[in-house]
């Protein structure tokens, strides 16, 4: 339990550093989609994993709405989806790194 809690704290600390870096990019005027996409992708993936772990550690209490973990668990599913899923963020990053797109073409476009 102690190790798992430490891992969660380490992940959250790391994510705060990513947020800080994005703030710096914004200040520097370098806040483009390929710059932001890796953070959105990694952040939501890690947040989902952290919350799943926190929910697991609390057992039944982890799913009861009386506790904050269940609420955050629902919130992160919405955050993961809006403004681009992790998959779509990965496609944006991939396009920037490789110079070609792997987006599945949408019919009618
Ligand atoms: C709480 C909430 C608030 C929202 N607020 C707004 C808002 O204010 N304004 C607004 O315009 N929209 C809003 N949305 C909509 C949101 O932007 C879309 O739900 C989101 O972009 C995903 O699109 P979709 O639901 O059509 O799913 P889809 O695009 O159909 O995605 C379904 C799955 O397919 C994957 N996928 C999608 N495209 C590709 C591709 N080309 N290649 C490979 N995989 C792909 C996705 O990763 C996902 O796993 C909101 C959604 C939520 C949940």
């Amino acid at each position: 339990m102690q190790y798992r809690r430490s891992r969660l704290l380490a992940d959250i600390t790391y994510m705060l550093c990513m947020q800080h870096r994005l703030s710096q990019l914004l200040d520097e005027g370098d806040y483009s989609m390929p710059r932001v996409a890796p953070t959105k992708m990694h952040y939501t993936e890690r947040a989902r994993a952290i919350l799943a772990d926190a929910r697991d550690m609390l057992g039944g209490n982890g799913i009861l709405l009386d506790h904050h973990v269940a609420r955050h668990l629902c919130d992160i599913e919405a955050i993961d989806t809006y403004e681009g899923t992790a998959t779509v963020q990965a496609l944006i990053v991939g396009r920037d790194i490789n110079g070609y797109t792997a987006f599945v073409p949408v019919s009618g476009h």
Side-chain angles (χ1 to χ4, degrees):
M1 188 69 87
Q2 206 73 321
Y3 175 75
R4 288 173 80 184
R5 284 183 176 161
S6 303
R7 287 287 322 157
L8 298 191
L9 183 60
D11 275 343
I12 291 166
T13 305
Y14 171 64
M15 288 156 74
L16 287 171
C17 291
M18 291 179 87
Q19 270 189 1
H20 181 69
R21 178 66 188 133
L22 277 190
S23 307
Q24 286 178 331
L25 290 174
L26 184 61
D27 288 345
E28 293 163 11
D30 190 15
Y31 201 70
S32 61
M33 188 77 93
R35 289 295 227 170
V36 176
T39 301
K40 168 74 159 78
M41 178 184 78
H42 191 71
Y43 202 97
T44 50
E45 282 178 348
R46 286 311 311 149
R48 288 176 88 192
I50 287 167
L51 284 161
D53 211 15
R55 176 258 178 279
D56 180 64
M57 280 193 276
L58 289 177
N61 283 330
I63 205 70
L64 295 180
L65 289 177
D66 314 40
H67 304 280
H68 291 298
V69 170
R71 181 170 59 79
H72 289 308
L73 203 55
C74 292
D75 282 350
I76 193 57
E77 291 304 320
I79 293 167
D80 180 70
T81 303
Y82 66 60
E83 293 177 11
T85 59
T87 308
V88 168
Q89 303 300 333
L91 289 166
I92 292 169
V93 178
R95 183 176 56 194
D96 190 56
I97 294 170
N98 299 317
Y100 62 87
T101 184
F103 277 92
V104 176
V106 178
S107 59
H109 288 260

